[in-house]
Every structure is written in structure tokens, then in C-alpha cells.
Amino acid sequence: MTKIIKSILILVLLTSLGGVMAKSGAWFTDQEKVLGNSVSTGTVDIAVDGNNAATVGVGYSLVDLKPSQHGYINEIVSNVGTNPLNLYKSAGLFVESEVLQSEPKCVEIDGTWDGKTCTGGTLPTDLASRINYDLRVELYNGDPQTAKLVWWETIYLDSDAKKLSDLGKVYLGMVPSGWSMKVMQSYHMPSQEGTLDNKYQGEKLTFDMTFDAQQLTNTLALENKYLSDTDVSHHVWNLGGISDGIDGSVSYDVRDKAFNYTGTSEGVSGDYTMIAWDNSAKGYSWNWNDSADAIILAHVTGGVGFSGSVDINRNLTNTKLWLVPGNFGTVGAVYGSVLPWNPTQTLFDTGLIDYYDADI
């Protein structure tokens, strides 16, 4: 009987202890703390011609522009922030007014000229749509007065007949931290037959130019050089220049453990190789004979979509990314030879890229 009672007491005690252990979670444990963690952000900030104000109050003036003549405005946009950025430009708020009168203008607008002034008639309001807008950008590793010209892009030629009034938000390219972009603009008023241009005598057109800087994003437009053997043939494909239908785009993860990408190509077919040409170690010279430094990212078929991932175990800094016709080398390896020059079929970058390996 005593043994039975003892057994019952032991069973009750163990059951009670088990309930306590289950409730308190009394397992083997250990705890370590990692102190001083942080997440920090950089800055995206630009200055125009050395002015870092949100609004630059004094603009540029093209005085006495006549039909068939060109006027030029060059601006320097500097990346004074800590992050690389994508730069865009737009024009708007067009206001046209009459500042001078003349007899031939008065006649052309069906007014009445009394020898000194014009009364009546219909003043023009479309001068912005008469002006061709040409645009070229040059990227410098620092101050354009002293630094090296690294990359350039002609976005609009005069022959494209891009009108000032139709200028939307134009992508100019990527500007690394501490670098500058020279934005070179031409304004040309093509002449018309007869006396039609007389109505624009004495007109003044004012407008605002806006530069937008955005955090470096993961999509790059690609374009061929549709006029072979010339640099001025290189146009941004989806923003207004003449296109021959050969173009594409690549999206990628700016920071990840591998270079993950998706892309499209139009107007081309056959074997293509996607290469990244990081020539930062040689001062961004990108001499053609140095194209042996190119890294093979993928083998793709032109004319269709593609995607994939390659671990290149390195960062890419201010790097060109191209789709080159042909099948070259092993994915992930350095090409090791000079790439063939085929400007009308190669899809070139319209802005440099950065990629940061998250494992480094």
C-alpha cells in the first residue's frame, strides 16, 4: 500500500513539473546580441552651371534668331550628391509675345500698318512648333573644363525635326557621383517658302527648362547606330529620335547576389552576346582594343525576350552594357579578345549602368 501511495505521489509530482516546464519553456538556450547595426541612405542632388538652388531665376537668351539660323545653349549639370543618378530634361510653360513691330509682319498677319504701328491682324502663337531642337550630351569624370570625356550621346539631330513644343521628358543618361554632364542644345528655325516667316518678326518666346535627377533604376534602353561609322547616329530609341526599328532594353537588379536580368530586342535575329564593359581600371577610356575586358553576361537570341542570372562575383562601376551579334566565350568569364565592330546591328547602351554584388 505504501509503495502504491509513493508511486501515485511521484506520478503527480512529475505531471505537475511537466506542466510547469511546458508553460515556462525551460529548454537549453543561449543569446547573443549583434550591436551597432545601421541602414543609411545617400543623396541624389544636382547643380546646374554651379547653381544648386531649386530654381535658377536667370535663364539664357537667344537674341535675333532668324529663319535658317542656329542658336546654341550649353549647360553643365553636376552630380553633387553621393549616389549615381539618372538625368532627365524637359521644357514647358511656353509664352509667346510681340516685342517689335514691322510693316512686313503686319501685312503677313493681315493687320493695318500706319507707318509706325500695326493694328489688328492675328499674332502668331506657334513659334515653339517652328523651332527644331537638337540635343547632345557628354559625360565627364569631373569638371568638363579639366576632366576626361568619358561617354557621349546624340539624342536629336536637326534632321530629326524634333520640335521644341514637342519636347517631353528626355532621358539624358546616367551621371555618377562627382561627375558632370554637358548638355548641348541647338535651336534652329527652318525657313519656309515665300513670306510665311514674316509673321514671326519681332516675336519673343520664353519657356522653362527642367532637369530631373532620379535614383539609379534598373532599366537601360539600347539602340543601334543606324548610320554606320558615326557617333552622331546614336539616338535614344523610345523618346523621339529617328528609329530604324532596331532597339531593345535590359532590366536588372542594381544590387543583388547575382546579376539577374530580363531583356527584349527588336529588329534583330540570330545569336547575340550580352556583355558588360567595365573599364574603370583604365580610366574609362573604352578604347576599342580594350574591349577584351568585356564580361560575358549571357548568350541570347535576337528578336525575342530573354532572362537569366549570372554570378560575376564583382561590382560593375560606370559600365557599358551591349548586345553584340555573335556567340562569344563562356558566361561569367572575361571575353579576352577584341569584339567585332558592327554598329548597325549591335545594341549599345544609352546610359551607363552600376551593379553592386551584395556578397562583396
Side-chain angles (χ1 to χ4, degrees):
M1 182 68 177
T2 302
K3 291 182 179 179
I4 294 173
I5 293 172
K6 287 183 177 179
S7 298
I8 293 173
L9 289 173
I10 292 171
L11 180 61
V12 170
L13 180 60
L14 288 174
T15 303
S16 300
L17 287 173
V20 171
M21 290 175 67
K23 291 179 181 178
S24 63
W27 302 288
F28 290 155
T29 63
D30 186 21
Q31 184 182 75
E32 304 287 348
K33 290 184 178 181
V34 180
L35 305 178
N37 305 287
S38 67
V39 174
S40 60
T41 62
T43 60
V44 172
D45 193 9
I46 58 174
V48 179
D49 291 336
N51 193 320
N52 195 222
T55 301
V56 179
V58 179
Y60 303 85
S61 296
L62 296 176
V63 180
D64 197 20
L65 187 66
K66 301 179 180 66
S68 78
Q69 294 183 350
H70 291 76
Y72 297 89
I73 294 176
N74 294 336
E75 295 170 287
I76 305 299
V77 182
S78 302
N79 183 353
V80 296
T82 61
N83 287 319
L85 58 86
N86 283 327
L87 187 63
Y88 299 81
K89 182 185 184 299
S90 59
L93 294 178
F94 297 100
V95 178
E96 187 173 346
S97 59
E98 183 182 54
V99 294
L100 294 172
Q101 291 188 336
S102 68
E103 181 267 337
K105 175 180 181 176
C106 190
V107 171
E108 190 64 35
I109 65 173
D110 297 323
T112 300
W113 182 254
D114 66 3
K116 292 183 178 180
T117 60
C118 182
T119 57
T122 303
L123 290 171
T125 58
D126 61 343
L127 183 56
S129 65
R130 288 281 299 115
I131 296 176
N132 286 356
Y133 181 78
D134 311 346
L135 180 60
R136 177 179 172 84
V137 294
E138 295 180 349
L139 184 64
Y140 291 83
N141 184 5
D143 184 348
Q145 300 297 323
T146 56
K148 178 183 179 59
L149 173 61
V150 171
W151 179 90
W152 54 91
E153 170 91 298
T154 295
I155 299 174
Y156 300 125
L157 292 168
D158 186 55
S159 57
D160 295 336
K162 181 70 175 182
K163 302 303 181 184
L164 181 59
S165 58
D166 297 328
L167 189 65
K169 192 173 182 178
V170 182
Y171 176 57
L172 303 182
M174 187 267 266
V175 184
S177 176
W179 291 32
S180 297
M181 179 173 283
K182 181 184 289 187
V183 183
M184 309 162 72
Q185 305 154 82
S186 168
Y187 301 81
H188 171 216
M189 184 176 174
S191 60
Q192 299 184 103
E193 294 292 334
T195 61
L196 292 175
D197 284 328
N198 278 341
K199 67 179 180 180
Y200 299 107
Q201 289 191 27
E203 292 290 292
K204 182 178 182 179
L205 178 69
T206 62
F207 57 95
D208 293 343
M209 292 188 292
T210 301
F211 289 99
D212 288 310
Q214 296 182 6
Q215 172 188 328
L216 185 64
T217 53
N218 64 344
T219 299
L220 178 70
L222 303 173
E223 174 62 82
N224 73 325
K225 295 180 182 292
Y226 65 85
L227 299 174
S228 62
D229 302 322
T230 65
D231 280 314
V232 297
S233 63
H234 197 173
H235 284 52
V236 175
W237 64 275
N238 61 347
L239 293 173
I242 293 175
S243 174
D244 58 359
I246 299 177
D247 50 55
S249 66
V250 171
S251 297
Y252 66 100
D253 293 337
V254 176
R255 184 188 296 273
D256 210 329
K257 292 184 176 181
F259 189 88
N260 305 313
Y261 61 86
T262 59
T264 62
S265 58
E266 303 292 340
V268 294
S269 61
D271 291 336
Y272 269 74
T273 299
M274 182 166 68
I275 63 102
W277 189 359
D278 180 349
N279 209 26
S280 55
K282 297 183 179 179
Y284 310 106
S285 61
W286 285 305
N287 294 322
W288 192 250
N289 290 334
D290 287 337
S291 62
D293 296 334
I295 301 169
I296 307 300
L297 296 180
H299 297 299
V300 301
T301 300
V304 298
F306 54 88
S307 62
S309 178
V310 54
D311 190 354
I312 60 175
N313 296 309
R314 58 169 291 178
N315 296 329
L316 299 174
T317 305
N318 309 331
T319 298
K320 292 179 176 293
L321 189 148
W322 295 355
L323 286 181
V324 184
N327 192 318
F328 308 106
T330 303
V331 171
V334 174
Y335 175 47
S337 186
V338 178
L339 291 165
W341 178 244
N342 189 342
T344 60
Q345 294 296 306
T346 299
L347 297 181
F348 298 92
D349 57 275
T350 58
L352 306 177
I353 71 165
D354 272 10
Y355 163 73
Y356 311 106
D357 193 316
D359 286 331
I360 295 178

